[in-house]
Amino acid sequence: MRRIATENGANVTPATTHRTVVLPDIMTAQEVATLLRVTAHHVRDLAKMGELPHMRIGTEFRFVRDELIARYPNLRAVILREERHE
């Protein structure tokens, strides 16, 4: 498990208070969105276009952290940078 700083709420602004959470092996669209600093809607659109590796559980999208890192190696640097800001 990795630890990242994430913002509370769906509408994220730089002035938002941060809290520390554990980044799970299986991530929701919102967790991926927070990590990438985009909206969950955008993450789902990227998944539908095949740009992000994902799986569907019913109507929900789920993302495997290690598959995202394997496809986008620079994402590892983002995670490490976020961990240093704890």
Side-chain angles (χ1 to χ4, degrees), residues 1-65:
M1 296 254 191
R2 302 223 186 262
R3 297 178 68 78
I4 65 166
T6 185
E7 294 82 8
N8 290 322
N11 296 321
V12 178
T13 62
T16 305
T17 303
H18 288 77
R19 64 183 169 93
T20 301
V21 298
V22 175
L23 182 60
D25 293 331
I26 305 294
M27 301 169 63
T28 65
Q30 183 59 54
E31 290 167 331
V32 174
T34 299
L35 183 65
L36 299 178
R37 297 181 186 209
V38 298
T39 66
H41 180 77
H42 187 65
V43 168
R44 288 187 293 272
D45 284 347
L46 289 172
K48 288 176 188 175
M49 293 186 302
E51 295 295 321
L52 290 176
H54 68 285
M55 61 183 144
R56 303 273 309 248
I57 301 175
T59 60
E60 299 294 319
F61 288 86
R62 293 293 182 263
F63 303 84
V64 178
R65 183 190 69 229

